[in-house]
Amino acid sequence: MQASASGAKVKQTRYTFYSYDKNAAALCFQFREQDGQPTDLSKATVHLVMILNDDNGKQFIPGDNEIEVLSAIQGTAEYVLPDNLLGYEGKVTSYVYLDFSDGTHTDEGRFTFEIKRSLVTDVIPKAGDKYVKDFEDVKAEVQKAADGTIKTASEAGKSIDEASKEVNTAKAEAIKNMHELDISDKNYLLDSKKRVLNPRTSGGASDNSNHTIYHLSEPIPAGAEMTISGKLEITDGAFDNISILFRDENDVSGGHSLMKISDNEFSKTFTLSKTLHKIYIYAGESDKTRGNGVVYTDVKLQPGSLATPWNPNPHEIMTHISDKNYLLDSKKKVIKPRTSGEVSDTTNHTVYHLSEPMPAGAEMTISGKLEITDGDFDAISIYYRGENGISLGHSLMKISDNEFSKTFTLPKALHKIYIYAGESGETRGNGVVYTDVKLQTGSLAAPWNPNPSEIVTQDQYNKLVNAVINLGGEI
């Protein structure tokens, strides 16, 4: 399989692996630059992310040491599928990307393959010296249709030749369907796993609408046939339809649709009249939704006329895998109102140190949660500091539902961050508790996790337990 830096175009490999392919099923990669030359892998780490489509979209992520670089100069690598992956049955969507030692990353592509249960897995005894001399011995007993239904020739009441034709026809149809789905199951919506819309209690009484906004990872051109689908749970009000409005980059309407709710699900195929940038989904019909509440889950926007199971936007998968938190001591910080210092000093802030400097030009996102304990403010200031405390600029972040998030790019290397209890010049009397503050690469905010240096390994934990016990204590 060839991968290149020209983008993450879907590749339908049509590869099929079987559960009996022990130590024999492998993915081989050759990475090339945009000019066609092999990518030098001597200073790169190959990463794979696999989505098990027929197992509720579970992720299977091989360890970096499980992917072998065959030739760094030729840009080739190999990953042998382990037994626990071959035990899965169904379609696998995979993403491959490279991390280089200089901090750069490349998204090398996306591809699919299928894993099927081997016929011999159900026939060969697990003990003894019996072996299969000829696959025809097994074929006479078991015929497995490509749609997953197992039929024996005797059960079907047909000759082996007739059963074989049926299997081959079903297999060809399954491959055709899989191919069609492969090229149309990309989810263009960001942050689409779960959204909670509570009934509105603010705003003017004449504003009787309640909606949430889904942004797209990239614009979709006019004329494209698209399908939106999802699930919902009504928490307040009673309604059996929901409205969806299509918007372009200037928030100009591109039309709307009314979708019928069926078994707590919805689906609609439409053709765009304008380029699409975002979607408004209402808690009911658009002009009658103020008092309604709903939880939307697994919302998906994809090309074509078929609604396939939910999967995250590919960009969010890559971001989640590269979501290292660069801040130290970031789980919880309490800023109390200041009672010391000169009256002229009106600021109140806390300092977050980085585990390592972030280079100039890196795109970063900071996010977190907060609880205001003293004062009244709806925005907070963040100041970026370089080596020796040199100012690199600042941002004002709006607070929304007790959370904040900001993406930025800096002109110089970043060493630490000051976060204020409100806007920087007026924070002396304010108090706030910051939790789950995270600084990560990229433009998306992933869930909080500690800096890797603050995570205790199992070996370190065992040593700590032994030390406590040796001192007469207990865990």
Side-chain angles (χ1 to χ4, degrees):
M1 183 184 308
Q2 291 188 344
S4 71
S6 58
K9 183 179 179 181
V10 180
K11 299 179 183 294
Q12 294 82 42
T13 65
R14 299 197 182 185
Y15 295 156
T16 300
F17 299 107
Y18 292 87
S19 59
Y20 202 68
D21 292 338
K22 309 297 184 183
N23 298 317
L27 297 172
C28 297
F29 302 92
Q30 180 165 33
F31 298 95
R32 295 187 180 276
E33 303 293 338
Q34 291 184 349
D35 60 3
Q37 296 300 311
T39 300
D40 184 1
L41 299 179
S42 61
K43 296 182 179 180
T45 302
V46 183
H47 297 285
L48 269 174
V49 180
M50 299 183 179
I51 306 299
L52 309 183
N53 299 75
D54 296 321
D55 193 9
N56 297 319
K58 290 183 179 178
Q59 292 187 11
F60 185 92
I61 305 174
D64 298 343
N65 59 347
E66 298 177 28
I67 304 172
E68 180 183 2
V69 175
L70 303 177
S71 172
I73 296 177
Q74 295 299 320
T76 57
E78 179 185 71
Y79 173 60
V80 178
L81 273 61
D83 291 352
N84 57 340
L85 179 58
L86 291 173
Y88 163 77
E89 188 173 3
K91 176 182 156 186
V92 180
T93 301
S94 301
Y95 304 83
V96 59
Y97 67 103
L98 300 177
D99 279 348
F100 292 90
S101 58
D102 63 358
T104 59
H105 316 274
T106 60
D107 182 356
E108 297 293 326
R110 172 185 174 203
F111 60 94
T112 64
F113 60 89
E114 188 175 10
I115 299 175
K116 293 184 177 181
R117 185 171 179 81
S118 299
L119 297 176
V120 292
T121 301
D122 298 320
V123 177
I124 296 180
K126 295 183 179 179
D129 298 327
K130 182 175 177 62
Y131 61 93
V132 177
K133 295 181 180 180
D134 190 338
F135 182 71
E136 293 301 319
D137 296 336
V138 179
K139 181 179 177 183
E141 298 181 22
V142 181
Q143 293 294 321
K144 181 180 180 183
D147 62 359
T149 304
I150 301 176
K151 295 181 181 179
T152 63
S154 59
E155 289 173 334
K158 300 177 181 179
S159 68
I160 293 300
D161 289 340
E162 291 173 334
S164 296
K165 290 179 181 178
E166 181 179 327
V167 169
N168 290 334
T169 300
K171 179 180 179 181
E173 183 65 23
I175 291 175
K176 176 178 179 291
N177 291 339
M178 185 180 72
H179 176 71
E180 290 175 351
L181 293 180
D182 279 345
I183 60 175
S184 64
D185 69 350
K186 174 180 177 180
N187 187 356
Y188 282 81
L189 298 181
L190 299 171
D191 186 24
S192 61
K193 181 60 181 175
K194 183 178 181 180
R195 296 280 187 95
V196 178
L197 259 178
N198 294 316
R200 285 188 57 189
T201 57
S202 61
S206 59
D207 182 6
N208 56 8
S209 64
N210 190 17
H211 67 271
T212 186
I213 302 176
Y214 288 87
H215 293 273
L216 277 63
S217 59
E218 58 200 84
I220 299 176
E225 182 184 50
M226 305 295 295
T227 294
I228 189 167
S229 60
K231 304 173 184 177
L232 78 166
E233 176 190 355
I234 298 173
T235 57
D236 295 271
F239 49 95
D240 54 12
N241 293 296
I242 59 173
S243 292
I244 174 174
L245 272 65
F246 313 114
R247 301 286 184 174
D248 67 9
E249 60 182 334
N250 297 316
D251 214 28
V252 176
S253 175
H256 68 279
S257 290
L258 191 64
M259 292 185 287
K260 188 78 174 176
I261 301 170
S262 176
D263 295 327
N264 293 325
E265 296 185 355
F266 60 90
S267 179
K268 184 81 172 183
T269 298
F270 56 91
T271 301
L272 295 171
S273 60
K274 294 183 178 181
T275 300
L276 182 66
H277 285 252
K278 53 187 172 182
I279 285 176
Y280 291 14
I281 301 184
Y282 288 76
E285 296 187 32
S286 59
D287 59 346
K288 307 171 184 177
T289 57
R290 180 183 177 91
N292 293 343
V294 63
V295 178
Y296 286 114
T297 56
D298 296 348
V299 180
K300 183 172 183 178
L301 178 68
Q302 63 191 106
S305 59
L306 290 178
T308 57
W310 182 87
N311 52 290
N313 181 272
H315 184 54
E316 292 178 314
I317 295 176
M318 294 307 157
T319 299
H320 181 70
I321 301 307
S322 305
D323 68 351
K324 174 181 176 180
N325 187 356
Y326 285 84
L327 297 182
L328 299 171
D329 187 23
S330 61
K331 180 60 181 175
K332 182 178 181 179
K333 290 205 176 184
V334 179
I335 305 180
K336 296 182 178 180
R338 284 187 57 189
T339 57
S340 61
E342 297 295 330
V343 177
S344 59
D345 183 2
T346 60
T347 63
N348 191 15
H349 67 271
T350 187
V351 181
Y352 288 87
H353 293 274
L354 276 63
S355 58
E356 59 201 82
M358 292 305 302
E363 183 182 47
M364 306 292 297
T365 294
I366 188 167
S367 60
K369 304 173 183 178
L370 78 166
E371 177 188 354
I372 299 173
T373 57
D374 295 271
D376 184 15
F377 48 95
D378 57 6
I380 59 173
S381 292
I382 174 172
Y383 278 70
Y384 314 110
R385 300 289 183 179
E387 194 172 12
N388 301 321
I390 298 174
S391 176
L392 305 178
H394 68 280
S395 295
L396 188 65
M397 292 185 288
K398 195 75 173 174
I399 301 169
S400 177
D401 295 328
N402 293 324
E403 296 185 356
F404 60 90
S405 178
K406 186 76 173 182
T407 298
F408 59 91
T409 302
L410 295 177
K412 294 184 179 180
L414 178 67
H415 286 251
K416 55 186 174 181
I417 285 176
Y418 292 10
I419 301 184
Y420 288 76
E423 297 187 31
S424 58
E426 307 169 359
T427 58
R428 180 184 178 95
N430 293 344
V432 63
V433 178
Y434 286 114
T435 56
D436 297 348
V437 179
K438 182 171 183 177
L439 178 68
Q440 64 190 102
T441 56
S443 59
L444 291 178
W448 181 87
N449 52 295
N451 181 271
S453 67
E454 297 176 320
I455 300 174
V456 177
T457 66
Q458 186 64 48
D459 182 60
Q460 291 170 328
Y461 176 77
N462 292 338
K463 289 180 180 179
L464 179 61
V465 170
N466 291 333
V468 172
I469 293 174
N470 290 336
L471 292 172
E474 60 181 33
I475 299 295

